[in-house]
Amino acid sequence: MSENPGAPFPPQNAPHQQWPQQQWPQQQQGRPQQPPKKKGLSTKVKVLLLVAALVVVGGGLGLIFVMKAVSGPEKQAGKLTEGDCVVLTGSGKEADAVKTPCDSPQAPYAVSLTGKNKGDWDCKEGFYKYAVPTPLRGEGVALCLAINAKVGLCFDDIASKTPPPLKDCGSARLRISEVFPQISVVNSPCQEGTAEVISYASYGTSKFKSATICFVKP
């Protein structure tokens, strides 16, 4: 019988030995969980916010346009300065004074003073008081007007408190015959036979110039 240097075989009739099974850690099913992401505004929400902002801005601009439409166009009288010659247009709330070249045959008045119509104002003797209302734009424009010292212009009642309208010389009572560039108080420079005389004094630094205007009957 041969020698076996190894370990002896187990008996043939020995019961089958159960070897311990190795325990492996069970893997979690599915992907590992990640921290929740911060949710931003969706594209739809951003669009709605943008539309809302445009509506607010558009509404403000629309209100401005509506207010301007209600108040009407800006009056040209607000841009006048002393020495300008003007034509009066409109009446009531639509009244205005429009700058016109002084050598124009249709410019009957010259501006001697401008200011704000606060309800309590007046012009010096010999000047005509004229107010231009500016609805919804603040205080109106106050003007003190003189007759434009231009030979050939015709009027009727130059002694009125309001600007006398320009008249056709064929039916007018008075026509400007001479103009002198200085004020005359005692001795009139007008020729004999002059029907009326108006003498204007400038207001110091004003661009409105002193003048003596001679009127004759046409």
Side-chain angles (χ1 to χ4, degrees):
M1 185 173 160
S2 63
E3 295 181 357
N4 184 5
F9 288 99
Q12 304 226 352
N13 296 327
H16 181 70
Q17 186 176 0
Q18 298 291 332
W19 298 96
Q21 295 181 358
Q22 188 173 5
Q23 300 295 326
W24 299 97
Q26 295 182 357
Q27 294 183 353
Q28 296 181 355
Q29 295 182 355
R31 297 180 180 178
Q33 296 183 356
Q34 296 181 357
K37 295 182 179 180
K38 294 182 178 181
K39 294 184 178 180
L41 297 176
S42 66
T43 302
K44 183 177 181 180
V45 173
K46 291 180 180 179
V47 171
L48 292 176
L49 291 176
L50 177 59
V51 171
L54 291 176
V55 169
V56 172
V57 174
L61 293 176
L63 179 60
I64 293 175
F65 289 136
V66 169
M67 292 298 291
K68 286 187 175 181
V70 171
S71 62
E74 186 176 356
K75 299 295 182 66
Q76 298 187 51
K79 302 176 183 178
L80 295 175
T81 59
E82 289 82 358
D84 287 342
C85 292
V86 298
V87 172
L88 305 183
T89 62
S91 61
K93 293 182 179 180
E94 303 299 326
D96 200 359
V98 181
K99 183 178 179 180
T100 308
C102 290
D103 59 356
S104 169
Q106 300 300 321
Y109 315 109
V111 178
S112 63
L113 276 178
T114 65
K116 296 293 185 180
N117 182 11
K118 298 182 179 181
D120 185 17
W121 61 281
D122 207 348
C123 301
K124 290 188 176 182
E125 186 177 356
F127 293 92
Y128 306 105
K129 180 178 177 179
Y130 191 73
V132 177
T134 53
L136 301 182
R137 293 181 184 272
E139 296 171 335
V141 180
L143 299 175
C144 289
L145 302 176
I147 287 180
N148 181 16
K150 183 177 182 301
V151 173
L153 297 184
C154 294
F155 304 88
D156 275 341
D157 184 14
I158 61 174
S160 63
K161 296 295 183 180
T162 56
L166 191 64
K167 300 288 290 186
D168 181 86
C169 290
S171 60
R173 190 177 70 86
L174 297 170
R175 177 177 62 85
I176 298 178
S177 58
E178 296 177 287
V179 174
F180 298 93
Q182 73 270 351
I183 185 173
S184 175
V185 179
V186 180
N187 296 320
S188 172
C190 300
Q191 294 181 358
E192 187 177 353
T194 298
E196 299 282 352
V197 177
I198 291 181
S199 196
Y200 293 119
S202 65
Y203 288 85
T205 58
S206 171
K207 293 181 180 180
F208 176 77
K209 303 300 182 182
S210 299
T212 295
I213 305 174
C214 309
F215 295 85
V216 297
K217 295 181 178 180

